Coordinates of all heavy atoms in Angstrom, one line a residue:
E674 N 104.5 105.4 157.6 CA 105.8 104.7 157.9 C 105.9 103.6 157.0 O 107.1 103.3 156.5 CB 105.8 104.2 159.4 CG 105.6 105.3 160.5 CD 105.5 104.6 161.8 OE1 105.7 103.4 161.9 OE2 105.4 105.4 162.8
M675 N 104.9 102.8 156.6 CA 105.0 101.7 155.7 C 105.5 102.1 154.3 O 106.4 101.5 153.7 CB 103.7 101.0 155.7 CG 103.2 100.3 156.9 SD 101.5 99.8 156.8 CE 101.6 98.4 155.6
I676 N 105.0 103.2 153.8 CA 105.4 103.5 152.4 C 106.8 104.1 152.4 O 107.5 104.1 151.2 CB 104.4 104.5 151.7 CG1 104.4 105.8 152.5 CG2 103.0 103.9 151.7 CD1 103.4 106.8 151.8
R677 N 107.3 104.6 153.4 CA 108.7 105.1 153.5 C 109.7 104.0 153.4 O 110.9 104.3 153.1 CB 109.0 106.0 154.6 CG 108.4 107.4 154.6 CD 109.0 108.3 155.6 NE 108.6 108.0 156.8 CZ 107.5 108.5 157.5 NH1 106.7 109.4 156.9 NH2 107.2 108.2 158.7
S678 N 109.3 102.7 153.6 CA 110.2 101.6 153.7 C 110.1 100.8 152.3 O 110.7 99.7 152.3 CB 110.1 100.8 154.9 OG 108.8 100.1 154.8
L679 N 109.4 101.2 151.3 CA 109.0 100.3 150.4 C 110.2 99.9 149.4 O 111.1 100.7 149.1 CB 108.0 100.9 149.3 CG 106.6 101.2 149.8 CD1 105.8 101.9 148.8 CD2 105.9 99.9 150.3
R680 N 110.3 98.6 149.2 CA 111.3 98.0 148.2 C 110.6 97.4 147.0 O 109.8 96.5 147.2 CB 112.2 97.0 148.9 CG 113.0 97.6 150.0 CD 114.4 98.2 149.4 NE 115.0 97.2 148.5 CZ 115.8 96.2 149.0 NH1 115.9 96.0 150.3 NH2 116.4 95.3 148.2
P681 N 110.7 97.9 145.8 CA 109.9 97.3 144.7 C 110.8 96.1 144.0 O 111.9 96.0 144.0 CB 109.8 98.4 143.7 CG 111.0 99.3 143.9 CD 111.4 99.1 145.4
A682 N 110.0 95.1 143.6 CA 110.5 94.1 142.7 C 110.4 94.5 141.2 O 110.1 95.7 140.9 CB 109.8 92.8 142.9
N683 N 110.7 93.6 140.3 CA 110.7 94.0 138.8 C 109.6 93.3 138.0 O 109.8 93.1 136.9 CB 112.1 93.6 138.3 CG 112.3 92.1 138.3 OD1 111.5 91.3 138.8 ND2 113.4 91.7 137.8
D684 N 108.4 93.1 138.7 CA 107.4 92.2 138.2 C 106.1 92.9 137.9 O 105.0 92.3 137.9 CB 107.2 91.0 138.9 CG 106.7 91.2 140.4 OD1 106.8 92.5 140.8 OD2 106.4 90.4 141.2
A685 N 106.1 94.2 137.7 CA 104.8 94.8 137.5 C 104.2 94.5 136.1 O 104.9 94.2 135.2 CB 105.1 96.5 137.4
D686 N 102.9 94.3 136.1 CA 102.1 94.0 134.9 C 101.7 95.1 134.2 O 100.7 95.8 134.7 CB 100.9 93.0 135.4 CG 100.1 92.5 134.2 OD1 100.5 92.9 133.0 OD2 99.1 91.8 134.4
P687 N 102.3 95.4 133.0 CA 101.9 96.6 132.2 C 100.5 96.6 131.7 O 100.1 97.7 131.2 CB 103.0 96.7 131.1 CG 103.3 95.3 130.9 CD 103.3 94.7 132.3
A688 N 99.8 95.5 131.7 CA 98.5 95.4 131.2 C 97.4 96.0 132.2 O 96.3 96.2 131.8 CB 98.1 93.9 130.9
K689 N 97.8 96.2 133.4 CA 96.9 96.8 134.3 C 96.8 98.2 134.3 O 97.8 98.9 133.9 CB 97.3 96.2 135.8 CG 97.1 94.7 136.0 CD 97.6 94.3 137.4 CE 97.3 92.9 137.6 NZ 97.7 92.4 139.0
A690 N 95.7 98.7 134.7 CA 95.6 100.2 134.8 C 96.5 100.7 136.0 O 97.2 101.8 135.6 CB 94.2 100.6 135.1
V691 N 96.6 100.1 137.0 CA 97.5 100.5 138.1 C 98.5 99.5 138.1 O 98.2 98.4 138.7 CB 96.7 100.7 139.5 CG1 97.8 101.1 140.5 CG2 95.6 101.7 139.4
S692 N 99.7 99.6 137.5 CA 100.7 98.6 137.3 C 101.7 98.8 138.4 O 102.6 99.8 138.4 CB 101.3 98.8 136.0 OG 102.3 97.9 135.8
V693 N 101.8 97.8 139.3 CA 102.6 98.1 140.5 C 103.4 96.7 140.8 O 102.7 95.7 140.6 CB 101.8 98.3 141.8 CG1 102.7 98.5 143.0 CG2 100.9 99.6 141.6
P694 N 104.7 96.7 140.9 CA 105.5 95.5 141.2 C 105.2 95.1 142.6 O 104.6 95.8 143.4 CB 106.9 96.0 141.1 CG 106.9 97.4 141.5 CD 105.5 97.9 141.0
S695 N 105.7 93.8 142.9 CA 105.6 93.4 144.3 C 106.4 94.4 145.1 O 107.4 94.9 144.7 CB 106.2 92.0 144.4 OG 105.4 91.1 143.7
L696 N 105.8 94.6 146.3 CA 106.4 95.6 147.2 C 106.8 95.0 148.5 O 105.8 94.5 149.2 CB 105.5 96.8 147.3 CG 105.1 97.6 146.2 CD1 104.1 98.6 146.4 CD2 106.3 98.3 145.6
L697 N 107.9 95.2 149.1 CA 108.4 94.8 150.3 C 108.3 96.0 151.4 O 108.9 97.0 151.1 CB 109.8 94.2 150.3 CG 110.4 93.7 151.7 CD1 109.6 92.6 152.2 CD2 111.9 93.3 151.4
V698 N 107.5 95.7 152.4 CA 107.5 96.6 153.5 C 108.3 96.1 154.7 O 108.2 94.9 155.1 CB 106.0 96.9 153.9 CG1 105.8 97.8 155.2 CG2 105.2 97.5 152.8
E699 N 109.3 96.9 155.0 CA 110.2 96.4 156.2 C 109.6 96.0 157.4 O 110.1 95.0 158.0 CB 111.3 97.6 156.4 CG 112.1 97.8 155.2 CD 112.9 96.5 154.8 OE1 113.3 95.6 155.6 OE2 113.3 96.5 153.7
G700 N 108.5 96.6 157.9 CA 107.9 96.2 159.1 C 106.5 96.5 159.3 O 106.1 97.7 159.1
A701 N 105.6 95.6 159.6 CA 104.2 95.8 159.8 C 103.8 94.7 160.9 O 104.6 93.9 161.1 CB 103.3 95.6 158.6
T702 N 102.8 94.9 161.5 CA 102.3 94.0 162.6 C 101.3 93.0 162.1 O 100.4 93.3 161.4 CB 101.6 94.7 163.7 OG1 102.6 95.7 164.2 CG2 101.2 93.7 164.8

Side-chain angles (χ1 to χ4, degrees):
E674 294 178 6
M675 293 168 68
I676 65 173
R677 282 197 293 267
S678 70
L679 293 180
R680 292 277 306 282
N683 63 358
D684 57 352
D686 182 355
K689 294 182 177 179
V691 182
S692 178
V693 183
S695 297
L696 296 173
L697 177 62
V698 175
E699 292 299 334
T702 301

